Amino acid sequence: MRRPRNVLDLEKASRDALWRSLAGIVESYMAKVHESPVAPSVTPVEIESLLAPMQFDRQIDPRVALGFVAENLTKHQVHTPHARYFGLFNPAPATMGIVADALVAAFNPQLATWNHSPFAVQLERHLIRMFGARFGYTAEDVDGTFASGGAEANHTAVLTALEYSFPDFARLGTRGLEKQPRLYVSAQAHHSIVKAVRACGLGSDAIRTIVVDDAMRIDVDALVEQLRRDRAAGDAPFMIVANAGTTNAGVVDPIASLAEVAAAERVWFHVDAAWGGAAIFLPELARLLQGIELSDSITFDAHKFLSVPMAAGMYLTRHRDILSRTFRITTDYMPDAAAADLPDPYTHSLQWSRRFIGLKVFLSLAVAGWDGYEQAIRHQTAMGNLLRRELEAADWEIVNSTPLPIACFADRSHPRGRTESFIHAVAREVVSSGEAWISTTRLEREIPVLRACVTNYRTEPEDIRALVGAVGKARSKLLAGQGA
Ligand SMILES: *Cc1c(COP(=O)(O)O)cnc(C)c1O
């Protein structure tokens, strides 16, 4: 049947031209991104004036519209796929991940129910089981769900921990709790935990922030003492969260010791391995995560170290029934589930209608294989080691201690080299030069540092040297400017 032309699906000839144009834009971006400055210099007013003419009161040619967006994305974003972006865990997307996201948009599978997308739902379940097994869970016990990212996975973890400790929580909420619930994290934990605790209605006062040692790892003795004090005061500890790769400095908590404490105290043990979980894929680094197999749940983000496009979080658990207990709901209008052991995703996770998140992981992994990922992760780890060596050779001091590719550093020779104003000025200078992108942060005891993280499988030694050159140039310029 020939259907009438619709402005939303366009003519065949127009579509063909559009696909070619899109493929050209993507290919040229991937090939040339490394030649452009890493970061834009633009103001909100300039962006607003670009958008103001777009009133949608006339139709624009599809390729012109596409070109408008592609040009402005090219000019006005920090190029996270750039080999000299040393930033916040944002990857260069794997080609198969880009293909997968485009395919998902076209097929638009509905992952609320098995009934609508049996292949997609079971493909995700297959991946969840394989990743759970890679982290050391017993294959038959593994359950989990894909999520928009680590924040949603951590939110899911808090909800399942509440369900586990307070079985009436789903019905009565916090009003049903007789005791003050307590959750334990280190002072270096990701702040999505705070948001999750707030979103669960617990209030951030439920969080006990535990001090860290000189290596920025949670102080296990201090944790145990706090737990005992809280129990003595009549509170209800329900969850311990371990960091496996902090965002600040790539630090991994002593996971096995924390697992022991959690088991003795009968509280839920969650490992936030959003980025650092990738260590499990390298035999030489996997021991860092020793004890993760004893956890009750894990957050892992494929859109970080596995280099798939944004929005691919995972929540993994070894409690097969906990997600269904936490999220089960029945409606008259949704189709029936296929089988008791194949719960519909909407009864099993926070989202309802949702995108086929797992495909970008599946296609990237299918083509690269575990071996391909092992090589890519090993390469980035080696680039991190090179970065540390080159920085030290150039008289910078590395302040953090981790085998993962994050360096936190400050100048060690000049008296101003550790001040906040100097650190910020160096980062600004590097970013505005367009040669590389790095950030600043504050570590324990408020120590300001420069932070550079290798997040790109295409980063090579010449990129590391360019970064070290750029921070060196900024340092000389600033110290000269101050008459030092
Ligand atoms: C990135 C990150 C998160 C948050 O994950 P999103 O994917 O940004 O939602 C949580 N914890 C850690 C340790 C992270 O690195």
Side-chain angles (χ1 to χ4, degrees):
M1 185 184 101
R2 214 184 136 70
R3 296 178 193 281
R5 171 185 183 270
N6 183 308
V7 71
L8 292 183
D9 66 5
L10 309 175
E11 304 271 15
K12 168 102 170 57
S14 185
R15 285 202 304 260
D16 285 343
L18 199 56
W19 303 145
R20 276 196 302 276
S21 184
L22 177 65
I25 288 167
V26 171
E27 183 55 35
S28 123
Y29 183 66
M30 288 176 71
K32 296 204 196 121
V33 62
H34 312 291
E35 293 160 21
S36 61
V38 188
S41 164
V42 69
T43 64
V45 173
E46 286 167 324
I47 303 276
E48 209 173 299
S49 71
L50 288 168
L51 291 171
M54 301 301 260
Q55 294 298 318
F56 316 111
D57 46 4
R58 66 192 171 89
Q59 295 181 339
I60 300 179
D61 175 81
R63 282 199 304 168
V64 172
L66 179 64
F68 169 78
V69 175
E71 183 192 336
N72 284 301
L73 282 172
T74 304
K75 283 189 191 157
H76 305 307
Q77 77 164 359
V78 173
H79 293 296
T80 50
H82 197 297
R84 294 180 187 174
Y85 171 79
F86 294 96
L88 301 169
F89 298 156
N90 303 306
T95 302
M96 291 312 291
I98 301 172
V99 170
D101 256 7
L103 198 70
V104 166
F107 281 73
N108 204 25
Q110 165 59 291
L111 270 85
T113 62
W114 180 89
N115 168 289
H116 273 44
S117 298
F119 180 70
V121 167
Q122 287 187 247
L123 180 152
E124 283 198 347
R125 199 161 86 130
H126 178 69
L127 284 174
I128 288 289
R129 286 180 170 169
M130 296 210 73
F131 276 89
R134 289 298 307 242
F135 280 107
Y137 288 161
T138 310
E140 309 85 71
D141 296 341
V142 179
D143 194 22
T145 177
F146 276 90
S148 55
E152 187 192 330
N154 282 340
H155 189 173
T156 303
V158 176
L159 285 166
T160 51
L162 286 166
E163 168 64 33
Y164 180 77
S165 291
F166 312 109
D168 271 341
F169 188 82
R171 192 168 57 90
L172 299 174
T174 47
R175 292 195 64 182
L177 302 178
E178 281 157 27
K179 299 175 171 182
Q180 167 68 49
R182 294 282 180 207
L183 174 155
Y184 301 79
V185 293
S186 97
Q188 290 286 313
H190 194 272
H191 290 80
S192 57
I193 298 285
V194 179
K195 274 175 77 172
V197 165
R198 283 194 201 145
C200 293
L202 299 177
S204 46
D205 278 357
I207 300 176
R208 289 296 196 199
T209 305
I210 306 299
V211 293
V212 293
D213 63 16
D214 287 344
M216 289 183 282
R217 302 170 355 137
I218 193 168
D219 180 332
V220 179
D221 292 337
L223 165 72
V224 171
E225 269 171 42
Q226 184 66 53
L227 252 157
R228 302 256 154 92
R229 269 201 301 277
D230 289 342
R231 283 215 199 277
D235 295 349
F238 74 98
M239 184 177 197
I240 296 172
V241 179
N243 301 305
T246 57
T247 312
N248 254 347
V251 169
V252 180
D253 284 331
I255 299 175
S257 309
L258 291 174
E260 238 174 77
V261 174
E265 296 286 337
R266 295 172 194 282
V267 298
W268 188 270
F269 180 45
H270 178 68
V271 181
D272 184 356
W275 176 69
I280 207 77
F281 304 112
L282 291 196
E284 65 272 29
L285 282 189
R287 59 168 177 77
L288 262 184
L289 304 183
Q290 203 183 351
I292 198 169
E293 69 284 357
L294 303 171
S295 65
D296 295 296
S297 56
I298 298 169
T299 286
F300 181 61
D301 264 350
H303 67 210
K304 289 181 175 164
F305 229 142
L306 296 194
S307 304
V308 305
M310 218 61 83
M314 281 181 223
Y315 164 94
L316 303 165
T317 178
R318 64 179 170 84
H319 298 268
R320 276 189 68 162
D321 61 336
I322 195 75
L323 283 171
S324 291
R325 273 165 46 199
T326 306
F327 295 108
R328 184 162 41 226
I329 211 145
T330 50
T331 67
D332 295 329
Y333 50 85
M334 296 294 278
D336 288 337
D341 72 336
L342 192 54
D344 283 329
Y346 86 99
T347 66
H348 197 246
S349 62
L350 271 164
Q351 295 185 46
W352 198 289
S353 296
R354 86 157 155 85
R355 190 179 177 83
F356 184 9
I357 300 168
L359 189 64
K360 51 196 163 193
V361 181
F362 181 89
L363 280 183
S364 303
L365 189 54
V367 170
W370 296 114
D371 280 352
Y373 269 110
E374 191 176 320
Q375 280 170 34
I377 295 164
R378 182 171 292 123
H379 172 74
Q380 290 176 70
T381 308
M383 290 303 101
N385 294 338
L386 177 65
L387 175 61
R388 279 187 278 266
R389 283 200 303 277
E390 297 272 324
L391 283 170
E392 281 183 320
D395 245 358
W396 297 95
E397 180 183 358
I398 308 293
V399 182
N400 62 328
S401 159
T402 179
L404 299 172
I406 295 188
C408 296
F409 58 102
D411 178 82
R412 72 168 154 222
S413 43
H414 198 275
R416 296 186 53 90
R418 293 166 181 276
T419 61
E420 183 121 27
S421 61
F422 175 78
I423 295 288
H424 282 276
V426 172
R428 260 199 315 274
E429 193 66 31
V430 170
V431 170
S432 65
S433 77
E435 284 182 63
W437 197 97
I438 55 169
S439 57
T440 61
T441 187
R442 276 197 249 161
L443 302 182
E444 274 315 290
R445 294 186 295 275
E446 309 287 304
I447 301 174
V449 288
L450 291 154
R451 176 188 180 283
C453 175
V454 178
T455 62
N456 190 324
Y457 55 88
R458 294 203 206 97
T459 297
E460 293 293 335
E462 69 194 69
D463 302 307
I464 299 292
R465 293 194 186 103
L467 169 62
V468 176
V471 289
K473 209 156 68 183
R475 170 172 60 186
S476 307
K477 182 173 159 185
L478 289 162
L479 293 181
Q482 285 161 357

